[in-house]
């Protein structure tokens, strides 16, 4: 019979769970949507154009240099 000095294998009984599953997520895509307003800006030449709702800035090409734009 094994000794009772506390050096046995780790148990799998009650109290060994990994938490209560409480969510801390921010939703799809990290919750970083900037909303319908604002501008798209070119990272190369700095040109700004109004953001069009439903069309992400990374899908818009700069009208001056053709680089894909980013959200301001």
């Amino acid at each position: 019979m094994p000794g009772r000095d506390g050096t046995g294998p780790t148990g799998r009984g009650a109290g060994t769970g990994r938490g209560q599953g409480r969510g801390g997520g921010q939703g799809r895509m990290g919750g970083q949507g900037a909303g319908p307003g604002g501008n798209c800006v070119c990272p190369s030449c700095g040109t700004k154009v109004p953001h069009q709702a439903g069309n992400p800035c990374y899908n818009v090409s700069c009208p001056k240099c053709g680089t894909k734009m980013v959200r301001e």
Side-chain angles (χ1 to χ4, degrees):
M1 189 154 110
R4 300 204 180 258
D5 61 359
T7 59
T10 57
R12 296 214 181 258
T16 60
R18 294 197 151 238
Q20 298 295 319
R22 308 237 181 234
Q26 297 177 328
R28 198 169 95 158
M29 299 296 289
Q32 299 297 319
N39 294 315
C40 298
V41 63
C42 177
S44 294
C45 69
T47 299
K48 293 182 183 180
V49 296
H51 172 69
Q52 300 295 318
N55 190 15
C57 291
Y58 59 78
N59 285 339
V60 178
S61 295
C62 175
K64 288 188 178 178
C65 70
T67 302
K68 294 292 184 181
M69 303 187 89
V70 296
R71 191 67 182 262
E72 184 175 46

